Amino acid sequence: MEHIKEVVAFLVGLGTGLSINVVVKFFRSSNSGATSTTQSNNNVGGSMAGRDISTNKRDE
């Protein structure tokens, strides 16, 4: 019974860590579909990519 405070603190910390882990996993899985975009029926005058366009030209 000497270490009851330490055991309770450990269990509370364990429960808190697990609940934070579950919340983070839930938000990551629910936002995973938000990163996909559709680009059908778009008419553009140049490249449709907004960034990370690689070309074969060398910068001199």
Side-chain angles (χ1 to χ4, degrees), residues 47 49 51-57:
S47 177
R51 55 172 258 195
D52 297 336
I53 301 172
S54 61
T55 60
N56 293 330
K57 297 178 183 177

Side-chain angles (χ1 to χ4, degrees), residues 1-58:
M1 295 301 282
E2 303 175 2
H3 302 290
I4 192 72
K5 289 182 181 179
E6 288 85 1
V7 171
V8 170
F10 173 77
L11 293 176
V12 169
L14 183 65
T16 302
L18 288 174
S19 64
I20 289 173
N21 190 16
V22 168
V23 169
V24 168
K25 284 185 180 181
F26 173 75
F27 280 115
R28 283 188 181 172
S29 67
S30 67
N31 290 335
S32 64
T35 59
S36 64
T37 58
T38 58
Q39 295 184 354
S40 60
N41 298 326
N42 288 332
N43 295 321
V44 295
S47 177
M48 189 180 292
R51 55 172 258 195
D52 297 336
I53 301 172
S54 61
T55 60
N56 293 330
K57 297 178 183 177
R58 291 175 49 183

